[in-house]
Amino acid sequence: MLGHYENISGWGRTPQYQSKIFRPTSSAELRSVVDSIAANNENVIGRGLGRSYGDAAFLAGENVIDLNFLNRILDVNYDSGEILVESGVSLDSLMRIFVPKGYFVPVTPGTRYVTVGGALASDVHGKNHHIDGSISDHISSFTLITENGQTTVDKELNQEYFNATRGGMGLTGIIETVKLKLVPIETSYVNVHTTRVQNLEALIKTMKDTDDNYKYSVAWIDCLSKGQFLGRSVLTQANDALLGDLDRSKIENARHFNTKSGLSIPFEFPISPLNKATIKAFNTMWYFKTKKGETDSVEHFASFFHPLDGIGEWNRIYGKTGFTQYQFVVPDNKEAELIEIVELLAKKEVSSFLAVLKRFGPKNGGYLSFPTKGWTLALDIAIQAGLSEVLDQLDDLVVNANGRVYFAKDARVSPNHIHKMYPDIDKWRTVRNKLDPNRIFTSNLALRTKLI
Amino acid sequence: MLDATSMPQNVVVLGGSSDIAKEFIKLLSSRRLEKILLVGRNKDKLDEFGDELRNLNIEPQIFIHDTRNFDSAQQLANVIKNEFTRVDLLLVATGMLGNANIDALGLNGVQEMIEVNFTGPAIDITSVLPILKDQRGSRVIALSSVAAIRPRKDNYIYSAAKSGFDNFLQGIAKELEPYSVETSIVRFGFVKTSMTTGLKPAPFTIELKDASQLLMTVLEKRKTGIIYLPPILKYLFLILKNLPDTIWWKISERS
Ligand SMILES: Cc1cc2nc3c(=O)[nH]c(=O)nc-3n(C[C@H](O)[C@H](O)[C@H](O)COP(=O)(O)OP(=O)(O)OC[C@H]3O[C@@H](n4cnc5c(N)ncnc54)[C@H](O)[C@@H]3O)c2cc1C
């Protein structure tokens, strides 16, 4: 089968390259593509829905395999909630199929347009990480295609391979099928408790005191406000709604998930409308539109978990130069450093829509899995003059606080910093080299950060 | 690789001892620069700059090549292939100013002026072109000059060469576009460098530091096509370009 060169990038639309893209239509074809790439001593990386922000899901000038054709649900156990799916199935499809039947995915990122394979490769987390861990904590086994054919990787029996692949950014091979455990739900709604908080210090305290009472918790922070309002925010915490929590209008259709995608951004904005002034105005408006103090409400899954999915291709608003997402985590006792970082962001005024703050629970065994116990902050930043320097300063602060940046969002951290952030890289490499001895799986991310 | 803010890891510089190039490379070295190939004719100057870079933990390679030498131009591509897996940024800073008096220049002088500012770098770029196309994504920044726009009495040979080169670059930019290679043609105004000592500064003269900072912005904001630095010159030359000949020659002689 032939591949074709196409423009390619991550969700942040920078950096942009071209890769030779293969779109196999069967597992047999997929294997023959991998085989011929290996035979020619070429390199390749797998790609799902391209929702990683940076350079994880492509390889400049070389081969990329689009895995969206792997879209079948192979087996369902309605008693245990365990499903066996192909890796190209999206979380969106899983929700549309299983939510009405009383099951939800155990973990969902802020967009449901990700594939199961991509979610495992990044070991994604959701608003419930402090309670439920990340996606791989709900996966018992998967199959992996390498140049040596197909292997089954079981969490108990093949711990090393399992730990190298979850969070391994596609660099151990192509994940073909995944066994994932869904969680039972009564409704497709959550009971949301919203608290408006005046500044970051107060927020940190409130989250520490109350997070354990909620399955889902996340705060939206205005990173442009300063002084006594530094980090003013809106904290949303929630638990699954039960049938009894719904009013009559919702109860008839208590588990619906037929959300429509709304408007779509039809083209790249020639000049981005986002600038300091518009973003500041938006953040302020958004803070004050939330009622002072605390409020309770019932919200549908889609608007609570995936607020941006209603607008298709919203990444085009950032224009030709694109944007990057900076997401890091620092340990629990590093609140002072967290505040210092938010101070730096406010001072440098690198405009950002609301940043998202959340607390992670304990780390799992994935060598390169991002979540570690502590505070994680994520913010979208438009590419602008001087940004590289500011973000390098943030990297220094993060490294000094024993923190790390998320591979699924990164397209710029230096190799030096990456190796300090991820102390298990050597362990990971050893295992990876067993799975992929000729190192055919590689990506821009891997080359740029010298992961392999 | 280029990162999200277009910071390169591997850089090739044609005209590696040019003052503007050196200043810009020092800026890049504080970001992601790891490996660099300095190409130029002056071994001593390149070695000296190479040492400076080594102290900054950058790995410099030096290829002695006079842009007028067709044979070594042919080798350029091989040297790059051997030294680099990829070129993230090709910086073209080859060029010379010099005596503008055609009688003083003589045949050799005119030939040199044209070869160093136009045909030489054009052939060098042609030699590297297949590598750039193959990579499917990188950046080219080539230094042109506002002198390319209209000839003056005291610089028309330089101006003619730069104008040829500028037109060549515009074509190269189009040639590379389908391969996801972005080209910036930078028409600098008067930058104070060792090349310009003794010359009378023009309006909107900038210092080296400003020049390199402006190049950084070109890179970061992915400005492509023809770019005037400082940007104000775009408007100045919009006017100057359209002046009738008689007026142009009069004011250009005076400035
Ligand atoms: C709006 C938005 C919100 C987000 N919110 C969150 C969040 O809350 N939490 C979070 O953790 N992440 C979040 N993300 C990031 C996203 O969840 C991850 O980047 C995820 O990996 C994307 O999946 P994908 O299918 O698009 O994968 P891609 O982006 O296509 O690929 C990501 C990585 O997975 C690898 N990969 C993909 N498929 C396979 C496969 N079958 N086998 C092997 N490797 C494979 C690729 O090689 C690449 O390294 C968010 C992204 C967006 C755009």
Side-chain angles (χ1 to χ4, degrees):
Chain A
M1 111 165 289
L2 288 178
H4 296 283
Y5 283 110
E6 290 177 25
N7 292 333
I8 196 161
S9 71
W11 187 247
R13 300 169 59 87
T14 176
Q16 287 185 355
Y17 279 96
Q18 287 177 355
S19 294
K20 198 189 260 179
I21 305 192
F22 290 84
R23 295 203 169 78
T25 52
S26 68
S27 291
E29 221 168 43
L30 168 64
R31 266 167 248 194
S32 85
V33 170
V34 172
D35 287 347
S36 71
I37 287 169
N40 294 333
N41 266 326
E42 291 176 15
N43 295 104
V44 64
I45 191 72
R47 182 176 175 98
L49 279 163
R51 253 47 174 203
S52 49
Y53 277 72
D55 51 7
F58 63 88
L59 179 58
E62 288 210 58
N63 308 297
V64 166
I65 307 182
D66 181 338
L67 297 163
N68 284 284
F69 76 97
L70 289 169
N71 60 1
R72 290 176 305 170
I73 292 167
L74 303 172
D75 197 14
V76 183
N77 181 331
Y78 280 107
D79 295 327
S80 65
E82 192 154 73
I83 56 173
L84 177 67
V85 297
E86 289 184 329
S87 66
V89 170
S90 69
L91 295 196
D92 180 62
S93 328
L94 289 183
M95 288 175 208
R96 285 176 197 279
I97 296 166
F98 291 108
V99 166
K101 297 187 162 62
Y103 282 104
F104 193 48
V105 293
V107 167
T108 176
T111 172
R112 57 182 183 274
Y113 298 115
V114 301
T115 63
V116 171
L120 174 55
S122 298
D123 201 5
V124 301
H125 58 271
K127 295 182 176 188
N128 56 342
H129 190 276
H130 63 295
I131 304 285
D132 295 322
S134 44
I135 192 108
S136 72
D137 295 315
H138 307 268
I139 289 170
S140 54
S141 71
F142 53 83
T143 55
L144 198 61
I145 294 178
T146 66
E147 58 178 304
N148 300 319
Q150 197 206 52
T151 356
T152 299
V153 178
D154 182 278
K155 190 182 233 154
E156 303 302 329
L157 303 177
N158 318 92
Q159 283 184 16
E160 279 193 329
Y161 291 172
F162 197 92
N163 284 330
T165 302
R166 55 163 146 180
M169 304 311 294
L171 298 166
T172 55
I174 303 246
I175 300 160
E176 191 177 21
T177 64
V178 177
K179 211 180 250 179
L180 171 75
K181 198 161 174 186
L182 302 176
V183 294
I185 43 164
E186 274 189 28
T187 77
S188 53
Y189 291 87
V190 278
N191 291 323
V192 187
H193 184 71
T194 305
T195 316
R196 202 172 93 176
V197 191
Q198 219 183 31
N199 60 40
L200 188 55
E201 247 167 278
L203 176 67
I204 289 174
K205 181 162 182 333
T206 312
M207 287 176 85
K208 273 180 162 172
D209 291 347
T210 60
D211 259 7
D212 288 344
N213 305 330
Y214 298 94
K215 179 171 174 185
Y216 308 108
S217 169
V218 64
W220 304 81
I221 303 188
D222 174 4
C223 277
L224 288 171
S225 53
K226 294 181 194 161
Q228 66 178 120
F229 297 111
L230 179 82
R232 70 178 170 191
S233 41
V234 174
L235 172 62
T236 57
Q237 296 166 304
N239 284 309
D240 291 324
L242 303 179
L243 279 171
D245 299 322
L246 302 189
D247 59 33
R248 218 179 303 139
S249 66
K250 290 181 178 126
I251 217 155
E252 273 174 29
N253 216 345
R255 292 197 299 260
H256 83 85
F257 204 92
N258 47 3
T259 58
K260 293 185 189 67
S261 21
L263 84 156
S264 188
I265 307 295
F267 52 80
E268 176 181 276
F269 277 50
I271 297 172
S272 173
L274 307 182
N275 58 41
K276 245 171 244 170
T278 54
I279 293 181
K280 231 176 204 166
F282 174 88
N283 285 3
T284 305
M285 181 199 79
W286 181 87
Y287 177 78
F288 285 108
K289 99 175 188 341
T290 308
K291 281 207 197 86
K292 205 170 163 183
E294 304 177 34
T295 43
D296 289 294
S297 58
V298 174
E299 265 189 60
H300 189 257
F301 279 178
S303 68
F304 181 71
F305 291 110
H306 318 116
L308 286 171
D309 281 354
I311 309 167
E313 303 202 62
W314 56 263
N315 54 346
R316 291 176 170 186
I317 294 176
Y318 283 88
K320 168 182 148 174
T321 43
F323 68 113
T324 187
Q325 182 167 101
Y326 194 74
Q327 181 172 9
F328 65 91
V329 57
V330 293
D332 267 337
N333 55 356
K334 300 285 182 186
E335 283 89 6
E337 285 80 351
L338 175 65
I339 294 172
E340 194 183 343
I341 291 173
V342 175
E343 264 166 1
L344 181 68
L345 285 167
K347 189 174 133 213
K348 296 285 179 183
E349 294 205 323
V350 282
S351 323
S352 157
F353 277 119
L354 312 160
V356 176
L357 182 74
K358 104 149 255 98
R359 290 173 78 211
F360 278 154
K363 78 193 286 287
N364 63 27
Y367 302 131
L368 301 184
S369 282
F370 168 64
T372 51
K373 190 149 179 24
W375 299 91
T376 182
L377 183 72
L379 56 154
D380 289 349
I381 307 173
I383 300 301
Q384 52 197 285
L387 182 63
S388 171
E389 195 175 346
V390 175
L391 294 182
D392 278 359
Q393 288 173 20
L394 290 186
D395 291 345
D396 285 337
L397 293 174
V398 169
V399 165
N400 287 337
N402 290 321
R404 51 171 59 164
V405 162
Y406 190 7
F407 283 123
K409 311 286 176 76
D410 180 50
R412 49 152 298 281
V413 178
S414 73
N416 192 6
H417 275 134
I418 287 290
H419 287 251
K420 286 184 190 148
M421 292 171 175
Y422 288 88
D424 287 340
I425 285 181
D426 286 338
K427 227 184 274 173
W428 174 80
R429 269 191 195 146
T430 314
V431 180
R432 180 199 118 86
N433 291 346
K434 287 189 214 166
L435 281 165
D436 184 28
N438 293 316
R439 302 178 195 194
I440 72 161
F441 292 97
T442 188
S443 61
N444 262 43
L445 171 85
L447 295 175
R448 177 178 58 77
T449 61
K450 313 222 166 358
L451 257 182
I452 47 168
Chain B
M1 290 296 174
L2 290 165
D3 74 3
T5 56
S6 299
M7 292 301 113
Q9 293 177 309
N10 292 352
V11 174
V12 171
V13 194
L14 306 181
S17 60
S18 112
D19 286 339
I20 296 179
K22 276 163 41 183
E23 200 64 29
F24 181 45
I25 290 158
K26 280 190 252 171
L27 269 190
L28 294 178
S29 74
S30 60
R31 304 266 76 84
R32 293 293 176 274
L33 184 61
E34 291 172 5
K35 270 181 94 170
I36 188 161
L37 179 70
L38 302 171
V39 181
R41 64 173 153 184
N42 189 327
K43 182 168 184 319
D44 291 345
K45 276 197 193 168
L46 291 176
D47 282 342
E48 192 183 312
F49 186 49
D51 288 341
E52 203 176 324
L53 290 176
R54 217 167 273 123
N55 289 334
L56 297 169
N57 266 329
I58 312 288
E59 209 186 307
Q61 306 286 334
I62 289 167
F63 178 55
I64 305 299
H65 160 59
D66 185 330
T67 192
R68 302 171 68 191
N69 184 330
F70 191 83
D71 292 336
S72 53
Q74 286 177 304
Q75 288 166 35
L76 189 56
N78 285 333
V79 173
I80 293 173
K81 266 192 209 141
N82 295 338
E83 297 299 338
F84 290 102
T85 40
R86 296 188 62 81
V87 179
D88 301 322
L89 170 68
L90 172 69
L91 177 64
V92 185
T94 318
M96 65 181 290
L97 278 171
N99 195 325
N101 183 322
I102 199 161
D103 296 327
L105 281 173
L107 294 187
N108 285 333
V110 170
Q111 186 183 29
E112 184 180 16
M113 188 70 91
I114 289 171
E115 287 186 355
V116 173
N117 288 309
F118 175 21
T119 52
I123 286 162
D124 293 343
I125 291 174
T126 309
S127 161
V128 183
L129 210 56
I131 299 181
L132 295 178
K133 287 183 174 176
D134 246 21
Q135 295 187 157
R136 304 268 168 178
S138 64
R139 287 293 302 263
V140 176
I141 296 185
L143 306 191
S144 177
S145 163
V146 290
I149 301 167
R150 268 192 114 157
R152 289 198 318 251
K153 186 150 186 245
D154 62 356
N155 82 347
Y156 67 90
I157 305 163
Y158 176 74
S159 163
K162 275 292 181 191
S163 133
F165 189 47
D166 191 288
N167 283 335
F168 174 81
L169 290 171
Q170 293 176 49
I172 287 293
K174 280 282 161 240
E175 182 85 29
L176 287 172
E177 208 174 66
Y179 299 88
S180 202
V181 180
E182 294 181 344
T183 305
S184 315
I185 303 160
V186 179
R187 290 181 179 166
F188 265 118
F190 198 95
V191 184
K192 277 195 201 158
T193 67
S194 58
M195 238 167 60
T196 62
T197 33
L199 296 183
K200 198 170 53 170
F204 305 109
T205 293
I206 56 172
E207 303 285 336
L208 262 186
K209 283 248 170 328
D210 306 325
S212 59
Q213 201 59 57
L214 287 166
L215 284 178
M216 196 69 166
T217 308
V218 165
L219 195 58
E220 286 185 296
K221 296 182 82 173
R222 282 174 52 199
K223 294 190 180 190
T224 53
I226 295 170
I227 296 147
Y228 289 82
L229 294 183
I232 176 109
L233 292 178
K234 178 173 176 183
Y235 304 100
L236 181 65
F237 275 88
L238 197 66
I239 300 165
L240 294 181
K241 196 159 90 179
N242 294 307
L243 287 178
D245 262 354
T246 45
I247 302 180
W248 164 254
W249 283 108
K250 222 175 257 165
I251 63 162
S252 74
E253 242 169 275
R254 217 174 297 148
S255 66

